[in-house]
Amino acid sequence: MKDIFGKALLDYQNGNYTEDIITSTSISDEDILPLPYLFRSFSEMPKLEQKALQLAKGYVLDVGCGTGSHSLYLEKKGLNVKAIDISKGAIHVAKQRGFTNAEAIDILDETETFDTILLLMNGTGIFQELIQVSKYLKHLKSLLKPNGQILIDSSDIKYMYEDEDGGFWVDTNAEYYGELDYFISYKGEKETPLKWLYLDFKTLKLACETVGLHCELIKEGEHFDYLARLS
Ligand SMILES: C[S@@+](CC[C@H](N)C(=O)[O-])C[C@H]1O[C@@H](n2cnc3c(N)ncnc32)[C@H](O)[C@@H]1O
């Protein structure tokens, strides 16, 4: 990983904002990810994220924290929060923003236990592929204190396969339709392609059942997105 994402976040934080991140996927064309969005305040967050922050309690782990927007909000509210991200640049920025309990590690290397684990902005993305979901869920479960909860958001992206006549062109013989290849570029530099997973609620619930987690739908968003609580 070249950490192009982290580089872009550092540029923004250090006053060198001239361009946004360009993303594309195996099923969609180029799109812009505005850097200011990754520094959003509570009022600028989607309702699903606001709901997750309202439900957070106890010692909180913010997984894939990015610049630490969610962590900073919770810390200001008086909660004890740890933030982790595989992007060294992102962790650097979270620290520059005043968040001290931040570490550049992979979720699979985390060993502490928590009352709340947050995975936001398509939290299932870090599972990468359907086949890896139970491995990540089992690990997340092992990081929960008694009565702990995991708050995670994702989307059912079936709509992305809809053609102009309202039909769907999902290849039923292919892998799960929410498995995407994700491409990021910034200032002309390309990141190594990533795998990024969108999980519909039914599939997430099924995967949770196989690892002994209870999965509850907390809130649906306006565009096939949802927030779930696993306990
Ligand atoms: C879509 S961004 C979301 C950032 C932040 N949560 C937000 O809402 O602004 C996903 C983040 O997850 C991080 N990430 C991806 N895989 C990870 C892993 N295995 N462990 C920890 N962080 C990971 C990425 O580096 C990235 O910062």
Side-chain angles (χ1 to χ4, degrees):
M1 192 176 85
K2 297 183 198 162
D3 201 15
I4 301 276
F5 186 68
K7 229 179 246 182
L9 299 178
L10 277 164
D11 273 356
Y12 187 86
Q13 174 67 21
N14 296 323
N16 300 318
Y17 175 42
T18 53
E19 282 178 39
D20 288 308
I21 294 173
I22 312 282
T23 65
S24 64
T25 77
S26 35
I27 57 160
S28 58
D29 295 333
E30 285 191 350
D31 203 357
I32 285 170
L33 174 54
L35 283 178
Y37 184 73
L38 298 162
F39 291 77
R40 60 201 177 279
S41 63
F42 183 82
S43 62
E44 293 162 335
M45 289 174 193
K47 293 268 179 297
L48 294 182
E49 292 181 8
Q50 292 183 348
K51 182 73 188 172
L53 295 180
Q54 282 158 3
L55 293 172
K57 57 180 169 64
Y59 186 28
V60 179
L61 177 68
D62 182 2
V63 181
C65 64
T67 71
S69 302
H70 300 111
S71 294
L72 282 163
Y73 173 80
L74 290 175
E75 198 177 56
K76 276 198 195 112
K77 238 177 101 178
L79 276 80
N80 189 10
V81 186
K82 176 175 182 180
I84 61 167
D85 202 293
I86 46 164
S87 160
K88 287 202 174 89
I91 293 299
H92 204 82
V93 170
K95 286 187 174 164
Q96 284 187 341
R97 291 182 89 196
F99 191 80
T100 45
N101 195 10
E103 204 183 336
I105 57 164
D106 191 302
I107 178 60
L108 294 176
D109 296 324
E110 177 59 62
T111 54
E112 273 192 83
T113 55
F114 302 88
D115 298 295
T116 301
I117 301 178
L118 287 179
L119 298 106
L120 297 178
M121 197 173 164
N122 188 38
T124 64
I126 69 166
F127 305 162
Q128 298 170 64
E129 301 171 281
L130 191 59
I131 196 168
Q132 297 214 75
V133 173
S134 45
K135 175 177 82 180
Y136 278 92
L137 287 178
K138 272 185 208 158
H139 180 65
L140 288 167
K141 188 181 168 195
S142 77
L143 304 180
L144 284 179
K145 287 188 190 291
N147 300 317
Q149 56 173 351
I150 298 162
L151 298 167
I152 183 164
D153 66 351
S154 193
S155 304
D156 183 349
I157 61 160
K158 203 165 160 207
Y159 70 90
M160 288 182 75
Y161 296 85
E162 194 172 356
D163 61 28
E164 281 154 19
D165 310 323
F168 289 92
W169 54 273
V170 174
D171 178 357
T172 47
N173 293 316
E175 304 300 333
Y176 173 64
Y177 65 81
E179 289 181 348
L180 301 187
D181 294 321
Y182 200 77
F183 309 98
I184 295 179
S185 66
Y186 174 68
K187 291 190 174 167
E189 225 185 317
K190 283 188 179 145
E191 182 55 275
T192 322
L194 314 162
K195 286 189 186 299
W196 195 240
L197 177 70
Y198 289 87
L199 262 189
D200 66 284
F201 178 72
K202 229 169 118 185
T203 308
L204 174 66
K205 192 173 164 68
L206 238 138
C208 284
E209 280 161 10
T210 63
V211 302
L213 277 167
H214 174 69
C215 176
E216 175 194 353
L217 181 66
I218 297 289
K219 193 176 169 64
E220 282 182 298
E222 284 163 12
H223 202 246
F224 306 101
D225 47 340
Y226 66 88
L227 174 70
R229 171 164 41 197
L230 324 182
S231 51

